[in-house]
Amino acid sequence: MKDTIKQLVEAYGPAGREEQVAKYLASVMEELVDKVYTDELGNVIAVKQGPANAKKVMLAAHMDEIGVIVTDIDDNGFLRFSNLGGVSPHTLIGQRVRFADGTVGVFGQEKLDNIKDLKLNKMYIDIGVTSREEANAKVSIGDAAVYHREFSQQGSRIVAKSLDNRISCAVLIEVAKRLKNSPHEVYLVFTAQEEVGLRGARTAAYTLDPDYGIAVDVTATGDTPEAPRMAVSLGKGAAIKVKDASVISHPLVKNLLVNTAQAHDIPYQMEVLEWGGTDAGSIHLTRSGIPTGAVSIPCRYIHTPSEMVDLGDVEHCVQLLVGVLEGPLP
Ligand code: CO
Ligand code: ZN
């Protein structure tokens, strides 16, 4: 699983430009499920067929990551940029980004009297050129870049860019590997454009019209120095979402997750996230409404180049999802 995670987090896939990750995921899933296809928005949909009249369960893990997008190039070849998803300017200082073709850039900022005044429009990307012409040969307006960081592991903790949400993509792969005889029709969906508004999940859910939806994504924790209060910690198990800013989990799904965790002795914690959203936010509002919940992997430093998760939690999320898919549905 470690190799898969490394491949996934180091891949390039900002919102709307998920092709490289999608290609990798489709090739991995081809061996594990009955059918894999990519839809119009770029979602990768893997199907494990169930018996006739089986209930349909959609698991969704977004495969896009946050990034930046080039808005302008100046005479000296410095790039101006905007955000793709939730990018804080303070996390960019001293960081590198990488474009689809491998071009690497570093962030710089204009002179500021107060660091609190740092905004994305006070920053630029330096790709090591000296003119607009030279820059244009490498990068065009509208090109997107992602954090440039390698995967690392220390004990049970891993640190990487885009663990939000490639770690959940790895979870879905592992679920596909372990799922033997599900009585249900299972859709493992790697969604596009979550970071810019839960977009891919919306069309995928409409097409698949599942009986139940479960989003798999990272969530914040309250276990670091002076963190905002939150009853989720790294290493204490799979988080079962109660709510975030996009969804209130359907009681049928939330209780199914809790009961499954208890029946299988899987460590779990209840998650109330006061902000943020997940694909569950889109799925539950599809058609006339779909009972939806979410399983979350606790993650520190979300939306920075160094997100951190615990592999024990990852394993417990896999076990919980397999448990749900192999058991009866409400
Ligand atoms: Co995110
Ligand atoms: Zn996410």
Side-chain angles (χ1 to χ4, degrees):
M1 195 174 186
K2 187 184 154 187
D3 276 352
T4 307
I5 296 171
K6 182 174 158 63
Q7 291 274 339
L8 282 167
V9 296
E10 291 183 355
Y12 169 94
R17 292 288 175 276
E18 295 91 356
E19 299 86 353
Q20 292 183 18
V21 196
K23 196 171 159 218
Y24 173 78
L25 285 166
S27 72
V28 172
M29 294 306 285
E30 221 119 68
E31 315 287 312
L32 304 173
V33 298
D34 300 308
K35 188 166 85 175
V36 180
Y37 62 100
T38 303
D39 75 5
E40 300 301 333
L41 286 202
N43 300 301
V44 174
I45 298 169
V47 187
K48 271 204 170 224
Q49 268 149 12
N53 300 321
K55 288 215 170 138
K56 302 192 286 184
V57 186
M58 172 180 176
L59 264 51
H62 72 87
M63 62 181 163
D64 61 313
E65 66 191 296
I66 57 167
V68 294
I69 184 163
V70 177
T71 54
D72 198 11
I73 303 176
D74 77 12
D75 291 344
N76 297 320
F78 293 107
L79 317 178
R80 296 294 176 150
F81 63 94
S82 177
N83 60 302
L84 279 172
V87 175
S88 160
H90 297 278
T91 65
L92 301 182
I93 297 174
Q95 299 300 335
R96 303 175 189 187
V97 280
R98 185 166 55 87
F99 289 87
D101 71 346
T103 298
V104 169
V106 303
F107 289 102
Q109 71 263 8
E110 300 169 4
K111 181 174 160 301
L112 292 167
D113 291 330
N114 186 338
I115 194 67
K116 284 185 177 162
D117 296 334
L118 186 66
K119 300 266 166 19
L120 294 185
N121 63 15
K122 301 279 182 198
M123 303 187 78
Y124 55 83
I125 299 169
D126 184 341
I127 54 168
V129 298
T130 53
S131 69
R132 177 184 281 130
E133 292 65 40
E134 241 186 293
N136 272 327
K138 292 174 180 259
V139 172
S140 302
I141 306 296
D143 282 0
V146 299
Y147 292 134
H148 183 41
R149 268 303 178 97
E150 80 287 3
F151 168 93
S152 63
Q153 178 172 6
Q154 300 197 78
S156 67
R157 302 273 156 100
I158 58 176
V159 178
K161 78 162 178 71
S162 68
L163 284 170
D164 174 11
N165 192 27
R166 305 284 162 68
I167 193 63
S168 304
C169 297
V171 165
L172 259 55
I173 291 171
E174 199 59 27
V175 167
K177 282 183 183 163
R178 294 191 204 175
L179 204 55
K180 291 288 174 278
N181 286 310
S182 175
H184 317 301
E185 175 118 331
V186 179
Y187 305 118
L188 302 164
V189 184
F190 302 94
T191 61
Q193 299 189 37
E194 189 270 354
E195 295 289 2
V196 289
L198 325 180
R199 294 176 188 169
R202 194 188 309 183
T203 58
Y206 185 90
T207 306
L208 299 173
D209 194 14
D211 294 292
Y212 296 98
I214 300 174
V216 187
D217 206 334
V218 297
T219 192
T221 69
D223 63 347
T224 52
E226 295 186 46
R229 292 296 297 265
M230 185 174 177
V232 172
S233 301
L234 233 57
K236 292 198 176 160
I240 297 172
K241 189 181 291 291
V242 180
K243 83 172 278 286
D244 61 27
S246 72
V247 68
I248 296 170
S249 295
H250 195 286
L252 279 179
V253 179
K254 187 188 68 183
N255 294 338
L256 173 68
L257 289 165
V258 170
N259 294 338
T260 305
Q262 287 175 351
H264 294 261
D265 264 329
I266 300 166
Y268 71 98
Q269 34 193 343
M270 300 311 289
E271 173 211 350
V272 179
L273 184 65
E274 295 183 56
W275 40 275
T278 59
D279 281 339
S282 280
I283 298 168
H284 83 294
L285 295 178
T286 299
R287 294 177 184 257
S288 48
I290 295 170
T292 302
V295 171
S296 305
I297 298 151
C299 181
R300 291 179 184 163
Y301 323 120
I302 293 177
H303 287 196
T304 76
S306 299
E307 299 173 330
M308 181 187 286
V309 304
D310 187 279
L311 287 172
D313 295 334
V314 175
E315 169 63 23
H316 293 129
C317 287
V318 173
Q319 291 174 2
L320 177 54
L321 291 165
V322 171
V324 163
L325 294 172
E326 289 190 337
L329 292 168

